[in-house]
Amino acid sequence: EAMEVVIGFSRTSAWPDHKDAVDNIKVSIYCRIAARLRKERRVVCIPRRDCVDVLLNGYVFRLYAYHPKEVTLLRSLGMEGVAQALHKQLYLLPLHNDMGA
């Protein structure tokens, strides 16, 4: 099972106001992370639409990008359940895990 890592971005107006654009930025981030790790560290990486998997020393790390604006955009589209699930997975649970460390 993969160990989940969340890359959190601070609130800024630089992020787009459309969900599809945010998704495209996140895919670009995943591809750039994978390319850089492959090139500089020779690490096996698999970029996906919603994350990037990194195989390192026999472990799989699943990296997710999170920006609070994505939750706001989902709510504005009437996708409250999806917004709550995303907020829980990528904000609340990592925050809880961090407090236990």
Side-chain angles (χ1 to χ4, degrees):
E1 189 171 319
M3 290 181 258
E4 295 184 347
V5 177
V6 177
I7 303 165
F9 293 91
S10 60
R11 292 185 185 267
T12 173
S13 61
W15 283 73
D17 292 326
H18 299 283
K19 177 71 172 92
D20 291 339
V22 170
D23 289 343
N24 289 337
I25 287 173
K26 288 173 64 172
V27 169
S28 176
I29 289 168
Y30 299 141
C31 289
R32 291 184 74 183
I33 288 171
R36 191 148 186 186
L37 286 172
R38 282 184 196 130
K39 180 180 178 182
E40 295 182 13
R41 302 287 180 203
R42 305 212 189 297
V43 175
V44 175
C45 298
I46 304 166
R48 303 180 187 280
R49 183 127 186 94
D50 63 339
C51 65
V52 59
D53 287 341
V54 178
L55 178 60
L56 181 64
N57 298 329
Y59 295 98
V60 177
F61 298 89
R62 182 158 291 144
L63 283 58
Y64 295 97
Y66 174 75
H67 188 276
K69 190 169 197 173
E70 187 172 10
V71 172
T72 303
L73 292 172
L74 286 167
R75 286 185 172 134
S76 72
L77 294 170
M79 302 172 73
E80 182 62 32
V82 176
Q84 285 181 353
L86 182 72
H87 183 68
K88 180 179 179 183
Q89 177 194 10
L90 300 183
Y91 181 75
L92 294 178
L93 290 178
L95 185 63
H96 173 74
N97 290 338
D98 186 43
M99 291 168 49

